[in-house]
Amino acid sequence: MQANYHTHTVRCHHAEGTEREYIEQAIARKLETLGFSDHSPQVFDGGYVSGKRMLPEQLEEYVATLQSLREEYAGRIEILIGLEAEYYPKYFGRLMDLIRPYHLDYLLLGQHYLGNEEEGLPPCPRPTEDEGRLERYVRQVTEGMETGAFSCVVHPDILNYTGDRKINRKWYEKLCVRAKELGIPLEMNMLGFATNRNYPNSDFFRIVCDVGNKVVLGCDAHAPSRVADPSEIERCMAFLKACGIQETSNRMKLVPPTR
Ligand SMILES: [Zn+2]
Ligand SMILES: [Zn+2]
């Protein structure tokens, strides 16, 4: 593993360790690039506050902390500053306005909720046999990819559809085809793999294999020990191979999220 772009910080309320610990771990495991992508802040209407992301007023300090570490570690490891953001149609313009002044290196698209989060719809990993939820997820992620603001879709298979496999393939194939057309890589999420979540899903990665998407391994590190764990990487590669995917690269083209 040369690079990992999927790293969190304590600001999201469900990660641990200091930024320095993540960086030291990355250096010890011979990464050339470590990208931070904590859950993006989001200003909602009606006073709703998300408990799973940094507050908008923490963004400045997040960026400043990482900038100073980037300078300190220059020559030893490349530090990138990004965010993992949702595509919420109602709030996307607001998100871009919030982040624009910081000239971030990239955004990851991680869609944990349908709609705009505040509506309280069940989170995407909740099992469902409702094709409508799968369709809505695929349409929402597709719209997000089409904004041009995202460099990668992380855990693209997070919507946990437990119904007919043909229906599952029908919708997820649309997502994969559009991602390929747009040149957006798809992540195999190492955290989901290590903790036996519903993603990564082997049916999904067989579709990825058939469509021929670029696949990137992402640590989704919420603890320093999760950065580029060699035994996990080996197991993930075996999983992908079993799905027919021979090639992964841990480099991706980064799109600065300005529009
Ligand atoms: Zn998280
Ligand atoms: Zn993440």
Side-chain angles (χ1 to χ4, degrees), residues 95-112:
L95 172 68
M96 295 308 278
D97 289 346
L98 182 70
I99 67 172
R100 193 169 294 115
Y102 298 102
H103 304 285
L104 299 175
D105 294 312
Y106 65 98
L107 286 185
L108 304 177
L109 174 53
Q111 196 70 43
H112 302 85

mmCIF file of all heavy atoms in Angstrom, residues 95-112:
data_model
loop_
_atom_site.group_PDB
_atom_site.id
_atom_site.type_symbol
_atom_site.label_atom_id
_atom_site.label_comp_id
_atom_site.label_asym_id
_atom_site.label_seq_id
_atom_site.Cartn_x
_atom_site.Cartn_y
_atom_site.Cartn_z
ATOM 1 N N LEU A 95 -22.681 23.036 1.656
ATOM 2 C CA LEU A 95 -21.426 22.346 1.992
ATOM 3 C C LEU A 95 -20.272 22.934 1.176
ATOM 4 O O LEU A 95 -19.198 23.231 1.720
ATOM 5 C CB LEU A 95 -21.556 20.840 1.705
ATOM 6 C CG LEU A 95 -20.258 20.034 1.833
ATOM 7 C CD1 LEU A 95 -19.785 19.973 3.287
ATOM 8 C CD2 LEU A 95 -20.434 18.619 1.279
ATOM 9 N N MET A 96 -20.507 23.117 -0.109
ATOM 10 C CA MET A 96 -19.435 23.631 -0.955
ATOM 11 C C MET A 96 -19.048 25.052 -0.529
ATOM 12 O O MET A 96 -17.868 25.411 -0.535
ATOM 13 C CB MET A 96 -19.860 23.595 -2.432
ATOM 14 C CG MET A 96 -20.086 22.189 -2.969
ATOM 15 S SD MET A 96 -18.723 21.035 -2.677
ATOM 16 C CE MET A 96 -17.635 21.457 -4.022
ATOM 17 N N ASP A 97 -20.040 25.844 -0.147
ATOM 18 C CA ASP A 97 -19.743 27.211 0.329
ATOM 19 C C ASP A 97 -18.883 27.159 1.590
ATOM 20 O O ASP A 97 -17.975 27.970 1.768
ATOM 21 C CB ASP A 97 -21.047 27.970 0.645
ATOM 22 C CG ASP A 97 -21.809 28.332 -0.626
ATOM 23 O OD1 ASP A 97 -21.228 28.241 -1.720
ATOM 24 O OD2 ASP A 97 -23.005 28.690 -0.508
ATOM 25 N N LEU A 98 -19.190 26.193 2.448
ATOM 26 C CA LEU A 98 -18.465 26.066 3.710
ATOM 27 C C LEU A 98 -17.001 25.672 3.497
ATOM 28 O O LEU A 98 -16.100 26.178 4.176
ATOM 29 C CB LEU A 98 -19.170 25.010 4.579
ATOM 30 C CG LEU A 98 -18.611 24.731 5.974
ATOM 31 C CD1 LEU A 98 -18.862 25.932 6.887
ATOM 32 C CD2 LEU A 98 -19.272 23.489 6.577
ATOM 33 N N ILE A 99 -16.769 24.774 2.547
ATOM 34 C CA ILE A 99 -15.401 24.256 2.398
ATOM 35 C C ILE A 99 -14.545 25.055 1.410
ATOM 36 O O ILE A 99 -13.327 24.951 1.438
ATOM 37 C CB ILE A 99 -15.393 22.761 1.981
ATOM 38 C CG1 ILE A 99 -15.946 22.578 0.560
ATOM 39 C CG2 ILE A 99 -16.162 21.911 2.986
ATOM 40 C CD1 ILE A 99 -15.775 21.149 0.040
ATOM 41 N N ARG A 100 -15.192 25.831 0.563
ATOM 42 C CA ARG A 100 -14.466 26.525 -0.511
ATOM 43 C C ARG A 100 -13.228 27.284 -0.020
ATOM 44 O O ARG A 100 -12.156 27.169 -0.628
ATOM 45 C CB ARG A 100 -15.417 27.444 -1.276
ATOM 46 C CG ARG A 100 -14.829 27.957 -2.590
ATOM 47 C CD ARG A 100 -15.871 28.655 -3.462
ATOM 48 N NE ARG A 100 -16.900 27.739 -3.938
ATOM 49 C CZ ARG A 100 -18.195 27.813 -3.601
ATOM 50 N NH1 ARG A 100 -18.628 28.750 -2.784
ATOM 51 N NH2 ARG A 100 -19.061 26.946 -4.074
ATOM 52 N N PRO A 101 -13.317 28.047 1.064
ATOM 53 C CA PRO A 101 -12.144 28.834 1.474
ATOM 54 C C PRO A 101 -10.923 27.993 1.837
ATOM 55 O O PRO A 101 -9.812 28.518 1.912
ATOM 56 C CB PRO A 101 -12.640 29.582 2.726
ATOM 57 C CG PRO A 101 -14.122 29.497 2.693
ATOM 58 C CD PRO A 101 -14.474 28.268 1.931
ATOM 59 N N TYR A 102 -11.092 26.701 2.068
ATOM 60 C CA TYR A 102 -9.985 25.886 2.581
ATOM 61 C C TYR A 102 -9.191 25.167 1.489
ATOM 62 O O TYR A 102 -8.173 24.547 1.778
ATOM 63 C CB TYR A 102 -10.522 24.875 3.610
ATOM 64 C CG TYR A 102 -11.129 25.583 4.797
ATOM 65 C CD1 TYR A 102 -12.505 25.712 4.926
ATOM 66 C CD2 TYR A 102 -10.324 26.192 5.754
ATOM 67 C CE1 TYR A 102 -13.070 26.395 5.989
ATOM 68 C CE2 TYR A 102 -10.876 26.894 6.816
ATOM 69 C CZ TYR A 102 -12.247 26.987 6.929
ATOM 70 O OH TYR A 102 -12.799 27.677 7.977
ATOM 71 N N HIS A 103 -9.663 25.232 0.262
ATOM 72 C CA HIS A 103 -8.935 24.622 -0.865
ATOM 73 C C HIS A 103 -8.480 23.199 -0.530
ATOM 74 O O HIS A 103 -7.289 22.882 -0.580
ATOM 75 C CB HIS A 103 -7.738 25.485 -1.267
ATOM 76 C CG HIS A 103 -8.133 26.880 -1.605
ATOM 77 N ND1 HIS A 103 -8.758 27.219 -2.783
ATOM 78 C CD2 HIS A 103 -8.044 28.035 -0.902
ATOM 79 C CE1 HIS A 103 -9.017 28.506 -2.804
ATOM 80 N NE2 HIS A 103 -8.603 29.034 -1.676
ATOM 81 N N LEU A 104 -9.419 22.374 -0.165
ATOM 82 C CA LEU A 104 -9.102 20.989 0.203
ATOM 83 C C LEU A 104 -8.536 20.226 -0.990
ATOM 84 O O LEU A 104 -8.782 20.575 -2.144
ATOM 85 C CB LEU A 104 -10.373 20.283 0.702
ATOM 86 C CG LEU A 104 -11.032 20.875 1.941
ATOM 87 C CD1 LEU A 104 -12.333 20.142 2.247
ATOM 88 C CD2 LEU A 104 -10.093 20.800 3.143
ATOM 89 N N ASP A 105 -7.797 19.170 -0.686
ATOM 90 C CA ASP A 105 -7.207 18.363 -1.753
ATOM 91 C C ASP A 105 -8.244 17.476 -2.448
ATOM 92 O O ASP A 105 -8.111 17.165 -3.616
ATOM 93 C CB ASP A 105 -6.096 17.476 -1.181
ATOM 94 C CG ASP A 105 -4.921 18.308 -0.665
ATOM 95 O OD1 ASP A 105 -4.482 19.209 -1.407
ATOM 96 O OD2 ASP A 105 -4.459 18.064 0.471
ATOM 97 N N TYR A 106 -9.244 17.041 -1.703
ATOM 98 C CA TYR A 106 -10.229 16.115 -2.310
ATOM 99 C C TYR A 106 -11.407 15.897 -1.372
ATOM 100 O O TYR A 106 -11.338 16.180 -0.166
ATOM 101 C CB TYR A 106 -9.572 14.760 -2.609
ATOM 102 C CG TYR A 106 -9.123 14.002 -1.375
ATOM 103 C CD1 TYR A 106 -9.905 12.994 -0.825
ATOM 104 C CD2 TYR A 106 -7.917 14.311 -0.737
ATOM 105 C CE1 TYR A 106 -9.496 12.320 0.321
ATOM 106 C CE2 TYR A 106 -7.503 13.637 0.392
ATOM 107 C CZ TYR A 106 -8.296 12.639 0.919
ATOM 108 O OH TYR A 106 -7.900 11.971 2.050
ATOM 109 N N LEU A 107 -12.486 15.357 -1.956
ATOM 110 C CA LEU A 107 -13.646 14.892 -1.187
ATOM 111 C C LEU A 107 -13.911 13.433 -1.544
ATOM 112 O O LEU A 107 -13.843 13.055 -2.713
ATOM 113 C CB LEU A 107 -14.917 15.663 -1.567
ATOM 114 C CG LEU A 107 -15.133 17.097 -1.125
ATOM 115 C CD1 LEU A 107 -16.537 17.533 -1.550
ATOM 116 C CD2 LEU A 107 -14.960 17.248 0.373
ATOM 117 N N LEU A 108 -14.212 12.641 -0.536
ATOM 118 C CA LEU A 108 -14.705 11.280 -0.751
ATOM 119 C C LEU A 108 -16.225 11.320 -0.614
ATOM 120 O O LEU A 108 -16.747 12.021 0.259
ATOM 121 C CB LEU A 108 -14.137 10.321 0.308
ATOM 122 C CG LEU A 108 -12.613 10.244 0.439
ATOM 123 C CD1 LEU A 108 -12.243 9.304 1.587
ATOM 124 C CD2 LEU A 108 -11.988 9.765 -0.869
ATOM 125 N N LEU A 109 -16.907 10.552 -1.453
ATOM 126 C CA LEU A 109 -18.355 10.453 -1.319
ATOM 127 C C LEU A 109 -18.698 9.210 -0.501
ATOM 128 O O LEU A 109 -18.492 8.084 -0.941
ATOM 129 C CB LEU A 109 -19.006 10.384 -2.712
ATOM 130 C CG LEU A 109 -20.519 10.144 -2.774
ATOM 131 C CD1 LEU A 109 -21.281 11.148 -1.923
ATOM 132 C CD2 LEU A 109 -21.012 10.211 -4.211
ATOM 133 N N GLY A 110 -19.185 9.445 0.705
ATOM 134 C CA GLY A 110 -19.605 8.346 1.582
ATOM 135 C C GLY A 110 -21.048 8.597 1.987
ATOM 136 O O GLY A 110 -21.326 9.457 2.813
ATOM 137 N N GLN A 111 -21.956 7.848 1.385
ATOM 138 C CA GLN A 111 -23.390 8.114 1.560
ATOM 139 C C GLN A 111 -23.949 7.215 2.653
ATOM 140 O O GLN A 111 -24.265 6.059 2.402
ATOM 141 C CB GLN A 111 -24.103 7.856 0.221
ATOM 142 C CG GLN A 111 -25.493 8.437 0.149
ATOM 143 C CD GLN A 111 -25.455 9.961 0.084
ATOM 144 O OE1 GLN A 111 -24.650 10.546 -0.625
ATOM 145 N NE2 GLN A 111 -26.314 10.596 0.846
ATOM 146 N N HIS A 112 -24.035 7.740 3.859
ATOM 147 C CA HIS A 112 -24.521 6.918 4.973
ATOM 148 C C HIS A 112 -26.027 7.012 5.157
ATOM 149 O O HIS A 112 -26.632 6.184 5.813
ATOM 150 C CB HIS A 112 -23.828 7.340 6.269
ATOM 151 C CG HIS A 112 -22.331 7.226 6.204
ATOM 152 N ND1 HIS A 112 -21.530 8.211 5.684
ATOM 153 C CD2 HIS A 112 -21.495 6.233 6.582
ATOM 154 C CE1 HIS A 112 -20.260 7.833 5.748
ATOM 155 N NE2 HIS A 112 -20.213 6.638 6.287
#
